[in-house]
Amino acid sequence: MTSNGPAGAASSDADIDTVEVVALGESMVTFLPTRAGRLADVPSFERGIGGAESNVACVLARAGHSARWVGRVGADGFGDHLVEAIAAYGVDTSAVRRDPDRPTGVYFRTAGDRATAAHEVAYYRAGSAASAMTARNVDLAAARSGRVLHLSGITAALSDDCLALMRELTAPRPGRPLVSFDVNHRPGLWRDPEGPRVLLDLARGADIVFVGDDEARAAWGLHGARAIREALPEPDVLVVKYGKGGAVVFDKDVPEGTEDATGTATFVRALRVDVVAAVGAGDAFAAGFLSATLRGLPVRDRLRHGHLMAAAALTVPGDLAEPPARGHADRLAALDDRAWETLRLGPGWTEADARAAEEVRTP
């Protein structure tokens, strides 16, 4: 794809404020069904926002971190809605660019679990403004203005220009921010059969990598966390997710002599959750893990905060949930192993601590 003319040119502002996290990628307007059923049968939908990277930025901003989203949307009403809605979460959207020639992407989905055969998603993103992102029309200074730059494999699949941008952002260079990469293997987006290899190469250039065990099996034919680590020895931190089973992290930042070059392996079980909708959990997990990383918390607690944020997403209908208050999350993350493994969370759990605090303040 070709880039825009002057209307899509990148900013040359060198004085952009630094933030804790920058997330770059496509965000779309999401249409959520008002009831269960096939897309052909659902009579109406409620509008929301969706996008792996912007979801992470929104959760982190709500959790008290400074976050910026970098992307491109159409010069249309849906683009207006995305920028306004994401900014309402506390995310800096000043580096978002508007494309006068291409539309904002949208998608519709059914209410069912994504893991079931009955789940349907209809994407209308081909030729979207975000698919035309390049290293020339994206504000690279803004993209590199955070302590962490969060990316995902979805962007790489959108177009050749987007892939070139991802390679630019993950290439080694002096002063590069810590690069976080969620593999997010979406086979339906890739026209190139080399997609899995491309994702592996991008992951090798990142500092923190998130990948599901099921994704690694589908994309690379790898079975188990140790095999995935052997294929991805470069990242300092590798998080392998097992869904309901939990997650394991390999971390090279350990005392000298205590582990081999792949890093120590730490496993934490996932929480028991009364699931409302199985959407948004992966993005929320990444946000929780990154939040704890930014705060310098131990590896076990990083995984636990990831599970807690995922539990917040799983107990609401949409992709985004209000995260637990930091103090509430810290108390839960500090539970002993037995209490952690018997904890069960349901709808409204993130609000319980806030209500209790309000009752204490209001006699």
Side-chain angles (χ1 to χ4, degrees), residues 58-197:
C58 288
V59 174
L60 283 166
R62 276 287 203 252
H65 297 278
S66 55
R68 173 174 291 127
W69 172 52
V70 176
R72 289 178 69 83
V73 298
D76 50 31
F78 287 146
D80 293 342
H81 172 66
L82 279 176
V83 173
E84 292 167 7
I86 292 170
Y89 278 86
V91 176
D92 180 346
T93 59
S94 60
V96 177
R97 298 289 175 257
R98 310 303 292 266
D99 191 320
D101 301 318
R102 298 176 178 86
T104 303
V106 302
Y107 74 95
F108 297 76
R109 68 169 174 83
T110 52
D113 189 334
R114 283 180 179 169
T116 69
H119 184 70
E120 300 172 74
V121 182
Y123 288 104
Y124 299 90
R125 72 196 308 178
S128 69
S131 71
M133 287 190 295
T134 74
R136 300 177 302 280
N137 65 23
V138 164
D139 190 335
L140 293 181
R144 292 169 171 146
S145 64
R147 288 174 56 191
V148 174
L149 170 60
H150 182 71
L151 307 167
S152 95
I154 294 173
T155 305
L158 296 180
S159 68
D160 291 343
D161 280 340
C162 283
L163 175 55
L165 172 62
M166 291 287 287
R167 285 177 168 151
E168 167 71 21
L169 292 172
T170 56
R173 56 176 283 148
R176 189 187 82 168
L178 196 72
V179 173
S180 165
F181 181 71
D182 193 336
V183 171
N184 258 325
H185 176 47
R186 303 287 174 85
L189 286 178
W190 285 96
R191 294 163 295 175
D192 185 346
E194 291 295 302
R197 182 192 60 78

Side-chain angles (χ1 to χ4, degrees), residues 185 187 196 212-222:
H185 176 47
D213 177 68
D214 55 344
E215 290 180 294
R217 287 174 184 250
W220 307 319
L222 299 174

Side-chain angles (χ1 to χ4, degrees), residues 163 167 170 181 194-206 220 231-232 234-235:
L163 175 55
R167 285 177 168 151
T170 56
F181 181 71
E194 291 295 302
R197 182 192 60 78
V198 170
L199 290 174
L200 193 63
D201 288 344
L202 291 172
R204 285 173 171 155
W220 307 319
L232 277 171
E234 295 88 355

